[in-house]
Amino acid sequence: MLATNESPRSIESLISSHNAKDLLKFITCGNVDDGKSTLIGRLLLDAGAIYDDQIEALKSESTKHGTTGAEIDTALLLDGLEDERQQGITIDVAYRYFSTEYRKFIIADTPGHEQFTRNMATGASTADLAVILVDATKGITTQTKRHAFIVSLLGIKQVVLAVNKMDLLDFDQITFERIRDEFKQFTEELPAIETVAIPLSALKGSNVVQPSEQTPWYSGLTLLGHLNSVTIDSSAEKSELRFPVQWVNRPSADFRGFSGTIASGTVRVGDEVMVLPSKKRSRVKSIVTMDGDLTEAVASDSITVTLEDEIDITRGDMLVPPDASVNSSQHITAKLVWMSSQALVPGKSYWLKHASQRNSCEVQSIHYEINVNTLQRKSASSLALNEIGLCELKLHHAIFHDSYRSNRETGSFILVDRVTHETVAAGMIEEISGKLETAGHWGEQSSTIAPRLARGLVSAESRQEKYGHKPFTVLITGFSGSGKTSVAMELERRLFEDGRHCLVLDGQTLRLGISRDLGFSAEERSENLRRAAEIAKLTNDSGQICIAAFVAPSDWVRQKARDLVGADRFLHVHLATSVEVCRERDITGQYQAADDGRIASFPGVTFDYEQPQDADLVVDTEDLSVAEIATQVLALFLQRSWLS
């Protein structure tokens, strides 16, 4: 589809001219009623990119579905889904293509509702420029800030602030300047964003393709004028070569090529290249495409490369320059945009898809979550839908990667649920210098100025000699109803009768007092156990044994508790009783309440329970009595020589 204003020429010259134009990929984003689809429809219509029969069909559709009275509803050009037409909103990302005499364009019209932020992030991931719409009658909103932040996060440097519906305010200059200045103030805290603000009316076509006589105070370009002239970031072509091999192309014994899309840089016939991870070297013999061989290819070209030497290369390998500075690691730090209604579970195994590789990984920790409205960081132990956080990931195999800031292709990845195959997160790899504290209260420092640890006059050795046992903590975990508290009480009774000094910490008891301000989200469960671990540590420091009974469904949180108390005085006993048996034992009605939705985040029903892989003792309470289990635990104490 070509725009008008092109003089008659031969088909060959027209195609040649068309192919010579550079390509600008941009997104539109904004609130649901800001007029994104109307703007793009107007852009296509006024740029001459719509055929006459389409315009006639649009007029008919406008009468049937439109919301603009007697005028053409240009939004219908974009809202391709019937559901969208009936609801008047954009649900999925709608892509459109058009060109002018200066440039080719691919437009991604992204959804406005907050729940579709993941779709917006998807559309932005490959864009060069973002058009963020603002309804002039409403001004900057939370969703405007959210979109600006995600645009910045995804490395888009060129932003157009399209202040739409100016016709409803008689093209008031003061309103436009107020909105422009407020947006500028917010984006000053975002890295490397260049913003151009344009006052326009998508409905009336003012300053979209044609300058408006209603804005004599505005001397800038129209939207299309800016899109035609803005400088496209060509950093991908200028970066080092990254060619992930997606397929070993071997149609016959005479041909062996390596196919894929160049992620960044340029490759030429005769170039020396290195293969990762083997680090073997060779030279490019030919660059093969469906349209014939090339002498060179650049970023985003899909090609097949043949080499002068027979080197073992498989899918997932990467061709780079011989002196490439590519990173290789099993540990990466990345910002995650969480895209699933199922919250992030630290420690849970996900698929990580990076370039042409698939890898297993776990999110080990969340350094912080970012409030996209204020850009402030806050502690978190999980991420919910549309939340963004800086996370530490451990991969089962090392990957060759760059930071997202230096290479959007090899610096990005997605996380996929291993069971449902749902894409749950988009990740951008960060370059981190220095140590980052893990968010959540686990890593926080005291706010007291120059705090000092009060040291008692009684040594740990004196306490141990007097009490006749080593101070330690045993954490008993399992589903609600597995018997944790019963086992804890039996242990306390026997230890007490044996002259030991001990204390029981029960999860439910804590929630009646020190943790009564906490709910049952992943973050609040984490905080409940952190408080318990702090008490256990103090108890052990006083020479006593601490018996802690908690559900503790997250492996990561259990590990943090072990670290806080001290691995040399910590035992984990897991009661591996099935949730079905625990449900049958339930006399409190908790499981039924969870089934009915009256209790949220209930492990085993509406909350994942990560079965521990490294517990010191695992017992099933289905066939064993409380006394028998306590005997096994006491035997473990003696085996460790923690009781004299």
Side-chain angles (χ1 to χ4, degrees):
M1 186 182 299
L2 299 177
T4 56
N5 303 326
E6 301 210 28
S7 57
R9 286 172 287 179
S10 68
I11 293 295
E12 291 76 12
S13 65
L14 191 62
I15 293 175
S16 176
S17 172
H18 183 68
N19 290 339
K21 297 174 184 175
D22 56 20
L23 173 67
L24 177 67
K25 296 170 286 187
F26 69 96
I27 63 167
T28 59
C29 46
N31 285 287
V32 65
D33 292 323
D34 286 350
K36 301 178 299 300
S37 299
T38 302
L39 176 63
I40 300 307
R42 174 62 66 183
L43 189 64
L44 295 172
L45 186 67
D46 290 358
I50 307 299
Y51 296 118
D52 291 343
D53 59 335
Q54 289 178 302
I55 295 175
E56 290 303 318
L58 181 61
K59 290 179 179 176
S60 175
E61 290 290 295
S62 298
T63 303
K64 180 180 176 183
H65 299 288
T67 58
T68 56
E71 297 191 40
I72 290 177
D73 187 352
T74 54
L76 297 178
L77 284 168
L78 274 292
D79 290 345
L81 298 176
E82 187 65 22
D83 283 348
E84 293 179 337
R85 293 189 179 196
Q86 292 177 356
Q87 296 178 46
I89 62 171
T90 302
I91 293 175
D92 207 347
V93 180
Y95 291 96
R96 290 295 184 274
Y97 170 84
F98 78 106
S99 73
T100 67
E101 60 183 309
Y102 304 104
R103 181 169 279 174
K104 298 177 287 189
F105 300 95
I106 294 177
I107 317 167
D109 179 26
T110 62
H113 280 296
E114 182 176 345
Q115 63 264 39
F116 300 128
T117 298
R118 56 183 173 183
N119 303 59
M120 179 264 168
T122 301
S125 62
T126 58
D128 306 304
L129 178 146
V131 178
I132 300 178
L133 270 78
V134 174
D135 184 335
T137 64
K138 299 177 182 176
I140 302 297
T141 66
T142 298
Q143 191 71 332
T144 307
K145 295 178 180 178
R146 176 184 293 273
H147 287 158
F149 176 74
I150 294 176
V151 160
S152 168
L153 183 68
L154 293 174
I156 299 176
K157 298 176 182 175
Q158 300 286 348
V159 171
V160 174
L161 180 67
V163 184
N164 193 24
K165 302 186 182 182
M166 288 294 295
D167 55 304
L168 297 180
L169 298 173
D170 295 327
F171 294 91
D172 181 58
Q173 179 181 1
I174 294 177
T175 300
F176 168 74
E177 291 177 346
R178 176 178 53 78
I179 294 173
R180 178 198 61 191
D181 294 344
E182 184 179 349
F183 186 78
K184 181 180 178 182
Q185 183 179 6
F186 177 77
T187 56
E188 280 178 348
E189 298 185 39
L190 302 176
I193 276 189
E194 297 180 17
T195 301
V196 172
I198 301 176
L200 52 83
S201 167
L203 180 65
K204 303 294 183 183
S206 306
N207 285 335
V208 178
V209 173
Q210 301 298 330
S212 173
E213 296 179 354
Q214 306 296 322
T215 55
W217 42 266
Y218 174 70
S219 59
L221 296 171
T222 63
L223 175 61
L224 184 61
H226 181 72
L227 296 176
N228 272 328
S229 58
V230 68
T231 301
I232 298 176
D233 181 11
S234 58
S235 57
E237 295 182 12
K238 296 176 183 175
S239 301
E240 273 191 341
L241 174 66
R242 300 286 186 267
F243 181 59
V245 176
Q246 296 172 317
W247 175 45
V248 179
N249 185 356
R250 196 165 191 179
S252 68
D254 300 328
F255 185 89
R256 186 166 180 263
F258 310 101
S259 303
T261 301
I262 301 175
S264 64
T266 303
V267 62
R268 302 176 184 82
V269 174
D271 280 356
E272 186 180 11
V273 293
M274 178 170 65
V275 182
L276 296 176
S278 68
K279 296 188 177 180
K280 293 181 178 178
R281 300 185 180 193
S282 183
R283 289 189 180 277
V284 177
K285 181 179 179 182
S286 65
I287 302 172
V288 182
T289 73
M290 290 289 290
D291 299 320
D293 289 2
L294 304 175
T295 56
E296 79 171 33
V298 298
S300 77
D301 285 349
S302 297
I303 60 172
T304 295
V305 169
T306 65
L307 300 179
E308 293 181 351
D309 305 285
E310 286 289 334
I311 297 178
D312 184 25
I313 298 176
T314 62
R315 172 183 167 83
D317 289 355
M318 187 182 293
L319 303 188
V320 299
D323 55 350
S325 56
V326 64
N327 302 307
S328 174
S329 176
Q330 278 184 262
H331 295 268
I332 56 174
T333 305
K335 285 199 174 79
L336 294 184
V337 180
W338 198 253
M339 298 177 165
S340 174
S341 57
Q342 296 295 316
L344 164 67
V345 180
K348 179 179 177 179
S349 183
Y350 296 96
W351 289 122
L352 182 146
K353 297 188 72 172
H354 172 261
S356 57
Q357 286 189 317
R358 190 178 72 169
N359 208 328
S360 292
C361 76
E362 295 91 35
V363 177
Q364 285 195 310
S365 60
I366 303 172
H367 292 294
Y368 54 78
E369 180 194 337
I370 303 168
N371 183 326
V372 298
N373 305 321
T374 64
L375 303 182
Q376 298 298 308
R377 300 174 179 179
K378 60 180 182 179
S379 62
S381 59
S382 180
L383 295 177
L385 177 66
N386 293 328
E387 291 182 342
I388 299 168
L390 183 68
C391 302
E392 202 75 31
L393 290 88
K394 179 184 178 184
L395 284 60
H396 288 198
H397 305 287
I399 60 171
F400 295 95
H401 63 273
D402 297 283
S403 71
Y404 188 78
R405 290 291 171 195
S406 61
N407 194 315
R408 290 174 69 176
E409 297 298 326
T410 54
S412 62
F413 59 86
I414 60 172
L415 295 185
V416 178
D417 188 285
R418 294 168 66 101
V419 176
T420 64
H421 298 280
E422 176 192 13
T423 298
V424 295
M428 282 68 68
I429 299 173
E430 296 272 315
E431 280 183 347
I432 301 295
S433 59
K435 185 180 179 209
L436 278 168
E437 291 293 341
T438 300
H441 299 298
W442 292 97
E444 283 188 1
Q445 302 297 316
S446 169
S447 59
T448 302
I449 298 174
R452 291 190 305 168
L453 183 65
R455 299 189 181 279
L457 302 178
V458 182
S459 68
E461 292 76 15
S462 298
R463 295 177 192 274
Q464 186 165 338
E465 181 178 354
K466 183 176 183 64
Y467 295 149
H469 60 78
K470 173 178 179 173
F472 61 88
T473 293
V474 55
L475 174 64
I476 305 172
T477 63
F479 286 121
S480 178
S482 60
K484 302 180 298 297
T485 302
S486 298
V487 172
M489 296 304 180
E490 177 66 12
L491 282 173
E492 182 193 33
R493 185 185 68 80
R494 293 201 197 180
L495 289 169
F496 177 77
E497 290 178 352
D498 196 34
R500 314 297 181 177
H501 296 256
C502 52
L503 169 74
V504 170
L505 284 178
D506 175 70
Q508 292 295 323
T509 304
L510 253 66
R511 289 183 178 278
L512 293 174
I514 196 170
S515 294
R516 61 175 174 265
D517 58 320
L518 299 178
F520 294 91
S521 66
E523 184 175 3
E524 290 167 312
R525 287 181 180 280
S526 169
E527 173 60 12
N528 189 41
L529 191 58
R530 187 196 67 82
R531 293 179 187 181
E534 292 281 7
I535 297 172
K537 183 173 182 294
L538 290 173
T539 302
N540 291 165
D541 289 345
S542 70
Q544 300 182 75
I545 299 168
C546 181
I547 308 166
F550 287 80
V551 176
S554 169
D555 192 57
W556 173 74
V557 177
R558 293 190 293 256
Q559 184 58 49
K560 296 298 292 186
R562 182 188 290 270
D563 294 343
L564 194 155
V565 174
D568 62 338
R569 59 180 188 181
F570 189 94
L571 282 175
H572 179 194
V573 174
H574 180 61
L575 305 187
T577 309
S578 69
V579 70
E580 290 77 16
V581 172
C582 293
R583 181 187 287 273
E584 292 173 1
R585 294 175 178 172
D586 182 25
I587 59 174
T588 64
Q590 288 183 314
Y591 280 91
Q592 186 60 51
D595 291 337
D596 298 340
R598 287 178 284 131
I599 298 179
S601 303
F602 195 80
V605 181
T606 55
F607 196 92
D608 285 341
Y609 195 101
E610 298 171 30
Q611 299 296 326
Q613 304 298 315
D614 57 354
D616 299 282
L617 177 65
V618 178
V619 291
D620 188 342
T621 63
E622 186 172 356
D623 300 319
L624 296 174
S625 67
V626 170
E628 290 171 324
I629 297 169
T631 299
Q632 289 192 25
V633 179
L634 286 169
L636 182 62
F637 297 163
L638 293 170
Q639 181 184 350
R640 298 290 177 96
S641 301
W642 288 359
L643 294 180
S644 59

